């Protein structure tokens, strides 16, 4: 899923229209992915290694056929140390195979728990808000609308004066409009709809004053 030029123009126009009614400033950021989740792949690889060891421990004699693949078939029964070496090699192979399989980003994302993705997207949104939006307007009335495409998740983060007046659940309508469109592969429509709803909330609490100026860019920022 990617933004087209039409999507970018639609979002920018929505921001301009929304800000014409309020002193608030809306910043839109779209990221391909919020985190590489390499640690998740590592966790699954460790689990794969442990499952191999559990299998060898559960099935008596399972290590002996593996030992026979490399040992002299006419030799005596393998010693305990030889079987431990077999278990170590099998566990290492299990770890490497899972880690190699999860080098593919789609599979890694599919096996990442939803709660983990939610935390990583939120963390990235807050970091970007602090970098690009927080306290960068005269009245501290900036709002970040952040969409992470790979995770199909979004976040809305606002400056403290807005947060003190607007309950988090008020943004629910904007989030619902955005995510519904993203699921239909229409990120531009979703972003524009969410911006319009955010603008309506800001206009209610922070109507536009006569000396208001455009302090932050209207264009969508892509990472």
């Amino acid at each position: 899923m990617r933004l087209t030029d039409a999507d970018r123009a639609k979002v920018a126009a929505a921001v301009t229209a929304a800000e014409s009614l309020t002193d608030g400033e809306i910043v839109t950021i779209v990221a391909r992915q919020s985190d590489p989740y390499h640690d998740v792949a590592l966790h699954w690889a460790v689990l794969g290694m442990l499952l191999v060891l559990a299998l060898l421990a559960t099935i008596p004699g399972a290590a002996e056929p593996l030992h026979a693949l490399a040992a002299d078939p006419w030799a005596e029964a393998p010693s305990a140390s030889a079987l431990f070496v077999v278990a170590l090699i099998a566990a290492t192979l299990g770890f490497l195979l899972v880690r190699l399989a999860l080098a593919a980003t789609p599979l890694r994302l599919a096996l990442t728990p939803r709660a983990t993705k939610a935390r990583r997207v939120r963390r990235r949104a807050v970091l970007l808000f602090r970098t690009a939006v927080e306290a960068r307007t005269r009245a501290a009335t900036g709002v970040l609308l952040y969409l992470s495409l790979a995770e199909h998740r979004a976040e809305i983060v606002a400056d403290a004066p807005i947060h003190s007046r607007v309950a988090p659940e008020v943004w629910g309508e904007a989030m619902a409009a955005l995510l519904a469109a993203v699921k239909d592969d229409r990120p531009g429509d979703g972003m524009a709809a969410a911006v319009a709803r955010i603008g309506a909330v800001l206009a209610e609490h922070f109507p536009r004053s006569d000396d208001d100026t455009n302090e932050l860019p209207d264009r969508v920022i892509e990472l």
Side-chain angles (χ1 to χ4, degrees):
M1 186 183 349
R2 302 178 65 179
L3 291 182
T4 64
D5 288 340
D7 289 332
R8 297 181 186 95
K10 188 179 299 182
V11 175
V15 172
T16 301
E19 292 180 353
S20 68
L21 304 174
T22 175
D23 282 348
E25 292 286 326
I26 303 171
V27 175
T28 56
I29 298 180
V30 176
R32 292 184 180 180
Q33 190 171 317
S34 291
D35 192 272
Y37 303 103
H38 290 309
D39 59 322
V40 175
L42 181 62
H43 293 159
W44 279 106
V46 171
L47 180 59
M49 177 181 67
L50 294 176
L51 287 175
V52 170
L53 293 176
L55 181 63
L56 293 176
T58 302
I59 303 176
E64 293 185 12
L66 297 176
H67 179 270
L69 294 176
D72 182 356
W74 299 103
E76 297 180 356
S79 63
S81 60
L83 294 178
F84 276 122
V85 171
V86 170
L88 177 61
I89 294 173
T92 302
L93 289 175
F95 177 91
L96 294 176
L97 287 174
V98 174
R99 189 65 185 87
L100 180 61
L102 292 182
T105 300
L107 181 58
R108 195 164 64 247
L109 275 172
L111 292 178
T112 299
R114 293 180 62 183
T116 299
K117 288 188 279 192
R119 288 194 301 269
R120 303 287 171 88
V121 171
R122 177 67 182 178
R123 184 175 67 186
R124 184 81 185 282
V126 171
L127 176 62
L128 291 171
F129 172 77
R130 290 173 177 169
T131 302
V133 182
E134 187 175 32
R136 289 183 176 269
T137 59
R138 181 179 55 185
T141 52
V143 177
L144 169 65
L145 175 61
Y146 174 71
L147 172 62
S148 192
L149 295 174
E151 293 91 343
H152 286 195
R153 299 195 66 90
E155 291 287 344
I156 296 175
V157 189
D159 266 320
I162 298 174
H163 184 69
S164 65
R165 296 193 193 183
V166 181
E169 56 268 21
V170 173
W171 307 118
E173 187 176 349
M175 293 289 287
L178 171 55
L179 295 179
V182 168
K183 289 180 180 178
D184 291 337
D185 199 19
R186 296 183 294 108
D189 292 338
M191 292 283 286
V195 165
R197 286 164 172 77
I198 292 171
V201 173
L202 291 177
E204 178 183 352
H205 295 279
F206 302 91
R208 185 173 186 179
S209 55
D210 294 337
D211 60 345
D212 178 62
T213 58
N214 190 13
E215 299 173 275
L216 296 175
D218 291 353
R219 65 179 179 83
V220 61
I221 300 171
E222 297 178 75
L223 303 177

